[in-house]
Amino acid sequence: MRELLIEVFAAMKGNRMRIALTGFSIGWGIFILIVLISSGRGLINGMQQNFKAFNIGMVTVTAGQTSQPYEGRGQGRTIRLFEEDATALQQLFGDTVTNAIAVVSHAVQATRGKEYANTVVDGYTPGYAAAPNIRIVEGRDINDLDTREQRKVCVIPKLLRNAFFGNDFAQHHTSKERTAVIGQHILLNGISFQIVGIYEPVVMLNPTRAVIAPLSTVKRIWRPDGELSRIYLQTDLLTTAELNRQFNTHVVAHLAARKSFAPTDRKAVRITNIYELPVLLSTIIAGLVIFVIVR
């Protein structure tokens, strides 16, 4: 054993550079492995946190055009949704739908002084924040009185606040001074709206940057025919993928009866149900875990 150790030390003494490079390579490999594992775990945790923030119980109903003839009517007919359709869906599926949120969207140019931005104004009824997955960070949201009186008030995104009030906002240091943005006015296609609140997305993946105003006001000014852009259905008790698929089918069948189109026509009314997002997320996370382990 003693002779073996002497031989090993002699070999090491004669190959100092090779041993140093080998040690460096092993150390570098361990460092990279730690970085990969940490990055992979951080990515997984980030995806899980973002997913938890999403309201997966929100189903979006959007009208389209018929792709099948039905009861003597040809294809290509435009389907239109109205506020009474949202009310009917909530009444019919009252055990599942906790809130039916009607929305009217209209492209506008928002301006303040020399600053302007091409955006969208979304007309909502109160309780809308769950639909676009946002939270009010300053001021208040749209309320029932705004809707009844068709007030010209709005809630703007932080992005627009920074663009329109950036210089003024930067000069204010106290929270009391910063609330000065609330109560100011912006123009939407030349019409003055008072800012009553400021919102931000719950997660950064949320693309919404719309100006929010009372549904009644937006309908009166830009959509007097009352046609909706979409309906959000806030659901409860849909705990499995099968229950969600059945719900989608029942919603389409009900609207098909109301609007006279084939229940099998998937282009007449589009249903976006993000309940299946957990399945996709789980698959992605499983792939990431395997990748990290293999690496």
Side-chain angles (χ1 to χ4, degrees):
M1 183 65 180
R2 183 171 177 274
E3 293 179 355
L4 179 60
L5 290 175
I6 292 173
E7 185 177 346
V8 169
F9 283 120
M12 292 175 62
K13 187 176 181 180
N15 297 276
R16 293 179 179 176
M17 181 60 70
R18 180 180 297 179
I19 292 173
L21 292 175
T22 301
F24 175 78
S25 299
I26 294 173
W28 182 254
I30 294 173
F31 172 75
I32 294 298
L33 178 62
I34 293 172
V35 170
L36 284 174
I37 293 175
S38 301
S39 300
R41 178 50 58 186
L43 180 60
I44 291 170
N45 291 339
M47 292 178 65
Q48 289 175 332
Q49 286 300 117
N50 279 337
F51 169 69
K52 289 178 182 178
F54 272 107
N55 186 348
I56 62 172
M58 194 64 65
V59 177
T60 307
V61 182
T62 310
Q65 289 187 331
T66 59
S67 60
Q68 302 173 14
Y70 183 71
E71 294 184 345
R73 303 188 181 195
Q75 64 186 46
R77 182 165 51 93
T78 300
I79 302 299
R80 306 172 71 195
L81 297 174
F82 297 91
E83 205 166 350
E84 52 265 31
D85 296 317
T87 302
L89 288 172
Q90 183 165 1
Q91 291 175 347
L92 181 65
F93 300 100
D95 55 338
T96 303
V97 176
T98 59
N99 193 14
I101 304 170
V103 188
V104 170
S105 295
H106 187 79
V108 295
Q109 184 178 79
T111 58
R112 179 181 182 263
K114 295 181 180 180
E115 301 293 336
Y116 72 92
N118 293 318
T119 183
V120 173
V121 58
D122 280 347
Y124 279 99
T125 49
Y128 62 87
N133 225 42
I134 62 174
R135 56 173 166 251
I136 306 297
V137 293
E138 292 182 38
R140 64 172 178 83
D141 59 5
I142 303 301
N143 60 34
D144 291 321
L145 192 58
D146 296 330
T147 301
R148 287 198 303 270
E149 296 185 356
Q150 299 182 4
R151 291 176 172 175
K152 295 175 185 175
V153 295
C154 65
V155 179
I156 65 172
K158 287 178 66 176
L159 184 70
L160 201 60
R161 179 202 65 185
N162 295 340
F164 283 0
F165 302 91
N167 293 332
D168 297 337
F169 190 76
Q171 295 172 3
H172 297 154
H173 302 290
T174 68
S175 59
K176 185 176 181 180
E177 289 174 325
R178 289 185 177 185
T179 57
V181 175
I182 306 301
Q184 298 292 322
H185 289 76
I186 61 173
L187 299 180
L188 302 180
N189 281 0
I191 301 173
S192 180
F193 277 73
Q194 184 182 45
I195 300 170
V196 296
I198 297 168
Y199 76 83
E200 68 178 4
V202 173
V203 292
M204 291 303 102
L205 296 177
N206 189 351
T208 183
R209 297 293 184 271
V211 174
I212 294 170
L215 175 65
S216 57
T217 306
V218 176
K219 284 172 59 176
R220 177 171 60 87
I221 298 175
W222 290 293
R223 195 67 63 84
D225 61 357
E227 183 179 357
L228 302 179
S229 301
R230 57 193 174 279
I231 299 172
Y232 289 114
L233 301 177
Q234 191 170 6
T235 64
D236 192 15
L237 305 178
L238 299 180
T239 56
T240 67
E242 180 59 30
L243 286 174
N244 277 269
R245 282 192 289 269
Q246 291 177 6
F247 176 75
N248 295 350
T249 300
H250 293 158
V251 169
V252 171
H254 173 70
L255 290 175
R258 287 180 63 89
K259 304 296 178 180
S260 299
F261 65 84
T264 56
D265 191 343
R266 298 307 178 193
K267 293 186 177 180
V269 170
R270 294 183 293 275
I271 307 292
T272 304
N273 188 333
I274 64 173
Y275 181 83
E276 295 180 359
L277 186 61
V279 178
L280 176 61
L281 181 67
S282 298
T283 303
I284 294 174
I285 289 177
L288 288 173
V289 170
I290 293 172
F291 171 76
V292 170
I293 292 174
V294 170
R295 293 295 294 177

